[in-house]
Amino acid sequence: MESSTFKDLYLSRNLEKAIKELGFEEPTPIQSKAIPFILEGRDVIGQAQTGTGKTAAFGIPALEMVNSRSKKTQVLVLCPTRELANQVADEIGKLGKYTGTKILAVYGGQNIDRQIKVLKRGVQIVIGTPGRVLDHIERKTLNLNSVQMFVLDEADEMLDMGFREDIESIFASIPEGRQTILFSATMPKPIMKLTKKYQQNPELVKTIHKVVTVPNMEQAYFEVKHHMKPDILCRMIDIHDVKSCLVFCNTKKMVDELVLKLKNRGYLTDGLHGDMKQNQREKVMGSFRNGEIEILVATDVAARGIDVENIEVVFNFDMPQDEESYVHRIGRTGRAGRQGIAFTFVTAREIYKIKNIQKYTRTKIKCRKVPTRSDAEDFKANMLAKRVKETVDEGHLGKYIHWVEKMLDEDCTSMDVAAGLVKIMLSENK
Ligand code: AMP
């Protein structure tokens, strides 16, 4: 039943094209479990948290199911907050880029007249918060008679926020024969009661973890803003004087973008992803093995075939989608009896994932301070001082001393000359 590639899901060409553009290489575990059931028309309970790819797990089959020629609302998604409603609408919008499906997020606090205007024109997938959806039902500005798929996203959150009654009223406005999908991070009793009352023979999908052992290694995470990640990666590579590292991204697109950024900054780098031909991959791997490439940027799929000794650091540039991939990724370092290092970049909304990983692996991941730009500069200046000392010790400085003497004639002190040279050296190596 499980599908390990998007091809196995036999999606329509328009969806496949959008997925490819988004750079998704393979379905996440929750997607490969849930999508086939949802496509079959089954009711599904998905136990999954944010960050696991749950939106696409229901968004992809929802888009497959919608008849774009009919203007009627065919899918309704309920979310606890306006932020989530917007996020879900964005994600489904991107996936549905080539399907011509009309999507709208409706939530409280936004001008209702504008929403009504758009709804009148015909929206096939409506994503909303319970209060506002109910408001539209009562005003008769949202007709749910043709809804075939009803999705409750983050159902536990919605119940915690007191939306039970609103949800029940909305259920009453949707035809009996609809398909009901419920996603929830936790499965407390009230959720089970809800599914019993409204779902028909639901299939429960969750990702079951295999028991794993994590090699003895240094693990740390850094809380970062998304847009700062490339800068921070460079700083860390400089400070730790890394000569061989593997950097994991979640999408092919991110791999390409990051490789370009690193190349532009003068790093020896290349990328690996599933779209590359075997001989291209082997070429990149060969260069990584012999040190021509110091930073290898890869997706999980591409990294599966990597067998390189002496990778000093694994960076999780993007947080892995589930705990198991974290273990697979960091297992790439610290081979041949050495202790490896795994550094993970975490954005504020992903912190909970670090906790889950620690629980799952029963290891400690330390929170470390992001090195500042001046830390990186200090480090480079120290390295430079060391090299200068070595060069002086080696001697043979005759003609260089002559040039320095000429610079001193220009009204500079020897301290000025040295400081100027350090400044040039450091800015050239930025
Ligand atoms: P979600 O759990 O829906 O909040 O998704 C978390 C992030 O994962 C979103 O930015 C998605 O665009 C991304 N995502 C979803 N599916 C995949 C996939 N198969 N491969 C890579 N990234 C994905």
Side-chain angles (χ1 to χ4, degrees), residues 159-339:
L159 292 190
D160 283 349
M161 289 168 75
F163 284 131
R164 165 180 284 284
E165 274 180 30
D166 286 359
I167 293 173
E168 301 227 13
S169 309
I170 297 169
F171 261 115
S173 308
I174 301 178
E176 286 267 316
R178 82 222 142 213
Q179 181 180 14
T180 308
I181 316 292
L182 179 143
F183 271 88
S184 189
T186 58
M187 288 292 153
K189 271 211 184 103
I191 292 285
M192 297 316 288
K193 260 168 79 181
L194 200 69
T195 76
K196 260 218 177 90
K197 190 162 169 195
Y198 292 106
Q199 287 189 302
Q200 303 286 329
N201 185 24
E203 187 70 43
L204 173 68
V205 295
K206 54 180 178 182
T207 41
I208 301 158
H209 298 306
K210 296 183 202 99
V211 179
V212 287
T213 46
V214 176
N216 177 27
M217 61 192 314
E218 184 187 344
Q219 298 177 67
Y221 74 90
F222 299 82
E223 195 178 336
V224 300
K225 294 232 162 57
H226 185 76
H227 71 276
M228 288 298 294
K229 286 181 183 182
D231 261 1
I232 294 169
L233 177 69
C234 293
R235 266 180 231 163
M236 293 181 61
I237 287 173
D238 294 344
I239 288 181
H240 293 274
D241 196 22
V242 178
K243 291 278 179 282
S244 164
C245 68
L246 190 52
V247 180
F248 280 99
C249 298
N250 286 352
T251 63
K252 288 180 270 198
K253 202 167 151 203
M254 197 64 237
V255 168
D256 289 340
E257 278 173 26
L258 183 60
V259 166
L260 193 66
K261 278 194 182 130
L262 293 174
K263 275 188 178 160
N264 288 342
R265 293 178 192 206
Y267 290 94
L268 302 172
T269 182
D270 218 329
L272 264 194
H273 56 61
D275 269 2
M276 292 164 70
K277 296 213 180 72
Q278 187 61 22
N279 58 350
Q280 273 177 303
R281 293 165 53 111
E282 268 161 22
K283 209 169 139 225
V284 174
M285 284 306 305
S287 312
F288 187 49
R289 253 185 230 114
N290 69 26
E292 277 166 45
I293 291 174
E294 295 181 346
I295 309 171
L296 184 62
V297 185
T299 56
D300 291 286
V301 178
R304 252 165 236 160
I306 296 178
D307 185 21
V308 181
E309 300 256 306
N310 301 329
I311 294 175
E312 296 164 275
V313 186
V314 165
F315 286 95
N316 289 307
F317 186 84
D318 288 325
M319 184 89 201
Q321 246 121 4
D322 61 301
E323 292 86 349
E324 267 167 62
S325 11
Y326 177 83
V327 178
H328 282 302
R329 287 178 177 189
I330 69 168
R332 309 268 158 203
T333 168
R335 294 189 172 173
R338 298 179 188 205
Q339 202 190 27

